[in-house]
Amino acid sequence: MTDHDSATATAPKAIPATRAGTIAALVGVGLFSLSFPATVWATRGMGPWTATGTRGTLAGVLAAGFLLALRVKRPDRRDLPGLLIVAGGCVIGFPLLTTLALQTSTTAHSAVVVGLLPIATASASAAMTRRRLPRMFWIAAIVGAAAVVAFTISQHHGGMSIADLYLLASLVVCSLGYAEGGRLSAHLPGWRVIAWAVVLALPISAAITLIAVPHERFDPTPSSLVGLAYIAAISQLGGFVVWYRGMGIIGVAKASQLQLAQPLLTLVWSVLLVNEQLPVTAPITAIVVLLCIVVTQRSIVH
């Protein structure tokens, strides 16, 4: 055996690109699935507005540091409207609305409702691009939405709570942000999209923090600081970097299939980390929504 053969035999095998992309996307899904429990931890030591503002401020400072260190040029003016939509939906709107919802709703309940996000995102993207979706998509989307509505009504004895309204509103703003972010990612690296979005939202995030801290409970504990660090560094920034990396390799459609596991993972974390008791209807509804999303994704692909 020659030295070249020996070196080739002992060298570690390179991971195929598709496998690396799948791993990255799965890591992103796992990181995002912890966002709701981490938000609950954070708000045990501070108010919801304070947590949201501080989350965005810390993420914005981190992103600005990365962009400066890497000497990334400013985005084109034509991309600013889209980046502002991402900032409004994914940096301000969704975190604030879900944090407000979690003040009176459990993480399990919230995870089931927000499980409709892939369907909402596909619908928003179709509306923005004027793309016609197959009839099967809309049938599955209506069934999934009906299952979530039935779940929320059953949990509140025939009505919907203010937390449910917050969650439904969060679906709207986040789906718009995701759809616009997907459009921008066609010509911008995905991590730059979220980095510029949190930087653009930084003045608003900082203003929310400065206004909220004197008027809300602010008694941070070690666990609340851990939760805050997680939602700032991971949920708002780092998770997107890994997620967009995987999505860029294996494609949006395949990555969306992996995201189906996120609500179910959050249900597990709600029991293990937040000590919640799951109603029987929660995992059942989550599975129904999961199946509906599988149908919608396959109808789009095929």
Side-chain angles (χ1 to χ4, degrees):
M1 178 181 294
T2 65
D3 292 339
H4 175 74
D5 293 335
S6 177
T8 303
T10 58
K13 294 182 179 179
I15 299 177
T18 53
R19 184 182 300 177
T22 300
I23 293 173
L26 283 172
V27 170
V29 169
L31 293 175
F32 286 141
S33 71
L34 285 161
S35 296
F36 281 179
T39 300
V40 171
W41 281 13
T43 53
R44 286 174 178 174
M46 62 194 72
W49 288 85
T50 301
T52 301
T54 307
R55 162 185 179 159
T57 301
L58 293 175
V61 171
L62 285 172
F66 286 133
L67 291 170
L68 288 172
L70 296 174
R71 298 182 180 180
V72 178
K73 68 176 184 178
R74 295 180 181 179
D76 293 337
R77 183 173 297 180
R78 64 187 176 92
D79 291 329
L80 286 178
L83 288 170
L84 288 173
I85 292 175
V86 176
C90 300
V91 184
I92 301 296
F94 183 79
L96 177 60
L97 291 167
T98 53
T99 302
L100 290 172
L102 287 168
Q103 302 308 294
T104 55
S105 176
T106 64
T107 59
H109 182 96
S110 300
V112 170
V113 177
V114 176
L116 283 174
L117 186 55
I119 292 177
T121 301
S123 302
S125 179
M128 295 168 68
T129 60
R130 297 183 179 181
R131 176 187 178 188
R132 295 186 63 181
L133 295 175
R135 180 181 299 177
M136 185 56 65
F137 172 91
W138 294 114
I139 293 174
I142 291 172
V143 172
V148 170
V149 170
F151 170 75
T152 57
I153 291 176
S154 69
Q155 294 295 296
H156 298 291
H157 308 289
M160 297 185 72
S161 68
I162 185 65
D164 292 322
L165 297 180
Y166 282 140
L167 292 170
L168 292 176
S170 75
L171 284 174
V172 175
V173 298
C174 191
S175 63
L176 292 173
Y178 271 16
E180 190 62 23
R183 186 188 69 81
L184 291 170
S185 295
H187 62 275
L188 281 176
W191 72 268
R192 291 190 188 182
V193 173
I194 189 61
W196 282 118
V198 293
V199 168
L200 288 173
L202 185 53
I204 297 177
S205 299
I208 292 174
T209 304
L210 292 174
I211 295 172
V213 170
H215 296 90
E216 284 189 328
R217 173 177 56 89
F218 188 72
D219 185 22
T221 62
S223 62
S224 68
L225 292 176
V226 170
L228 178 62
Y230 190 91
I231 58 177
I234 305 301
S235 302
Q236 194 64 76
L237 187 60
F240 277 98
V241 173
V242 181
W243 170 248
Y244 279 133
R245 171 64 177 168
M247 191 163 57
I249 296 175
I250 65 176
V252 176
K254 188 174 290 186
S256 297
Q257 298 284 345
L258 300 176
Q259 198 177 23
L260 304 181
Q262 187 171 320
L264 293 174
L265 284 173
T266 301
L267 292 182
V268 174
W269 302 138
S270 70
V271 175
L272 297 179
L273 301 179
V274 196
N275 297 321
E276 291 182 357
Q277 297 293 323
L278 289 183
V280 176
T281 51
I284 294 175
T285 306
I287 292 173
V288 171
V289 172
L290 184 152
L291 293 175
C292 290
I293 296 174
V294 169
V295 174
T296 61
Q297 295 295 324
R298 290 185 176 179
S299 69
I300 293 175
V301 174
H302 299 298

